[in-house]
Amino acid sequence: MTLDITVVGGGIAGLTVAAALDRAGMRCTVFEQVERPRAVGAGLQISPNAARLLHRLGLEQYLRATAVRPEAIELRRWDDGRVLGRTALGDACEKLYGAPYYTMHRVDLYEGLLQLAAPYVRFGCRIDSVTQREVGDGIVVGADGVHSVVRATLTSDRPRFSGQTVYRALVPSAAAPWLRREPKVAIWPGPGRHCVCYPVSGGSSFNIVATAPAETAHAEWWTTPATREELMAAYSGWDEDLTRILDASMQVTRWSLHDRDTMTRWGSGRLTLAGDAAHPMLPFLGQGANMAIEDACALAACLRRDGPGESTEAGVTEALRRYESRRQIRTERVHQASRENARTLHLYDGDGQRKRDAAVDEAHNLRNRSWLFGHDAEEP
């Protein structure tokens, strides 16, 4: 029988699901509530575990033309910029893991995926609820983010406020010539907050992600405006190289950071989840989009192995449960590592901070990232 697959949500997760299903010989319909194609946000880090999957979907040439392949990730001392540790990327990363590490603008990734998935997307279609009865003989994939209405079919949990707000901004590349000469991901961990800076848009600008503690949550929209003055005040007294970059910020936005506890089950019957709908996580490991891409390709692989043209009802359900069980193990580890980074990146100066800094070289050795970068979500 032919599978009738509905995907709720047309963001990074939903578009990748559609592209992966298409590659596997299956069609779907993606329902997206916005009226027209629109990507918001700023930068993304695409590590080899997701880059290899995007290459297989047909985006290798596109990514090499639009993204940046940084040479390293560097951790820097918050007050004087001293390099604490370095993870080699560039050729070394691509040789070791068979795929590059990219930094790019979210809009660029969205547009690349939309080129692959456009025939399947229906814009201006809002889904307010889903019931098991409505799923019927089809498959429903909830890819509708942290506030997922599909997830609400399975659990009554709510997003958890992390106690952190995050500022995002783009900065002209001229503001950081030392980052332009050798493209890299620079991270300043410090007391109660941290800042990340990396090149996007082919290197023409840098993306800023700067966290700060907050007692209460505020609006969660990507486009909630903030000011450069707010951002500068949050990092007063920090490394001069960093504050010069922040002072060049354009169109600063801010929103509260939320995640949810992990779920014991992602699906029921012919309903399942992908991306932030399944495992919304804090951005402190840079893996949110990467996990969504992994989910999408793993889901398509599980359904493909079941034989979509001759699937039985039991076989399809088993394929969905197989997908979920595999992905739960993987995303649980990444979810917890992201929460742990929320602690270790924000240590105040003292014994804990010194212990962290002494272990940086081992923790950030490229080979020690194999559990993350070397994973292939399409393998059985």
Side-chain angles (χ1 to χ4, degrees):
M1 64 181 180
T2 301
L3 294 176
D4 179 14
I5 306 174
T6 296
V7 180
V8 181
I12 299 300
L15 293 182
T16 312
V17 168
L21 290 172
D22 179 75
R23 174 172 170 257
M26 291 172 274
R27 297 186 176 186
C28 67
T29 303
V30 179
F31 292 106
E32 170 52 47
Q33 64 179 338
V34 302
E35 295 292 335
R36 61 183 64 86
R38 178 173 64 94
V40 293
L44 290 171
Q45 299 180 61
I46 302 297
S47 47
N49 45 299
R52 69 170 56 88
L53 302 175
L54 294 173
H55 285 188
R56 290 172 190 166
L57 291 177
L59 289 181
E60 179 172 3
Q61 185 175 353
Y62 176 84
L63 290 172
R64 293 192 184 278
T66 58
V68 176
R69 201 184 65 153
E71 293 297 323
I73 300 172
E74 283 187 354
L75 267 71
R76 292 175 165 260
R77 171 76 182 166
W78 71 272
D79 54 358
D80 61 14
R82 175 166 44 91
V83 176
L84 302 172
R86 178 181 171 97
T87 301
L89 297 177
D91 290 340
C93 182
E94 189 161 359
K95 181 179 180 180
L96 183 60
Y97 294 113
Y101 192 110
Y102 293 119
T103 57
M104 64 188 307
H105 200 292
R106 179 179 290 267
V107 171
D108 291 333
L109 178 58
Y110 177 88
E111 290 181 351
L113 289 169
L114 188 60
Q115 291 176 18
L116 302 177
Y120 304 112
V121 185
R122 305 292 179 265
F123 290 99
C125 296
R126 181 184 179 91
I127 305 296
D128 292 318
S129 65
V130 176
T131 66
Q132 289 288 350
R133 178 176 297 179
E134 290 169 330
V135 174
D137 293 331
I139 293 175
V140 170
V141 181
D144 48 340
V146 65
H147 297 288
S148 170
V149 299
V150 182
R151 183 183 175 114
T153 305
L154 304 168
T155 181
S156 59
D157 71 340
R158 304 290 300 172
R160 182 194 72 101
F161 175 49
S162 67
Q164 291 279 325
T165 190
V166 63
Y167 296 91
R168 283 189 182 264
L170 292 174
V171 177
S173 61
W178 59 277
L179 276 176
R180 186 173 51 184
R181 285 192 297 271
E182 184 194 36
K184 65 187 71 172
V185 180
I187 306 173
W188 289 261
R193 67 204 70 206
H194 77 286
C195 187
V196 184
C197 179
Y198 53 82
V200 296
S201 302
S204 63
S205 58
F206 295 108
N207 181 62
I208 297 291
V209 184
T211 68
E215 293 184 2
T216 58
H218 50 77
E220 290 184 69
W221 308 112
W222 291 81
T223 54
T224 299
T227 67
R228 181 187 306 164
E229 289 72 24
E230 289 178 70
L231 175 56
M232 293 288 291
Y235 285 82
S236 177
W238 282 51
D239 175 28
E240 290 184 0
D241 280 343
L242 172 60
T243 55
R244 276 195 293 267
I245 295 172
L246 299 183
D247 193 39
S249 298
M250 306 177 294
Q251 296 182 330
V252 181
T253 60
R254 182 186 72 166
W255 68 93
S256 300
L257 290 179
H258 291 75
D259 66 1
R260 296 202 198 202
D261 291 335
T262 53
M263 298 172 67
T264 57
R265 65 185 186 122
W266 288 15
S268 177
R270 289 187 165 214
L271 181 148
T272 194
L273 302 173
D276 282 350
H279 45 69
M281 59 184 64
L282 298 175
F284 300 152
L285 194 62
Q287 285 294 311
N290 293 280
M291 290 300 104
I293 293 164
E294 283 191 12
D295 288 349
C297 293
L299 174 61
C302 286
L303 290 172
R304 181 180 65 240
R305 291 186 192 106
D306 185 62
E310 302 175 354
S311 298
T312 64
E313 183 171 350
V316 171
T317 302
E318 289 172 5
L320 294 177
R321 302 294 86 82
R322 185 167 61 250
Y323 152 73
E324 293 158 6
S325 64
R326 289 174 52 199
R327 294 304 299 157
Q328 282 177 301
I329 296 170
R330 167 73 166 168
T331 57
E332 170 76 24
R333 184 176 183 183
V334 176
H335 186 281
Q336 291 304 319
S338 299
R339 281 191 175 178
E340 177 61 15
N341 274 359
R343 183 188 69 82
T344 58
L345 288 171
H346 300 162
L347 291 172
Y348 284 76
D349 287 352
D351 290 342
Q353 164 261 319
R354 286 189 287 271
K355 184 177 179 180
R356 178 202 66 195
D357 292 353
V360 161
D361 284 342
E362 180 179 358
H364 289 267
N365 182 283
L366 182 60
R367 290 188 177 275
N368 290 341
R369 298 292 183 97
S370 61
W371 74 271
L372 185 60
F373 294 172
H375 183 81
D376 190 332
E378 292 186 322
E379 289 185 351

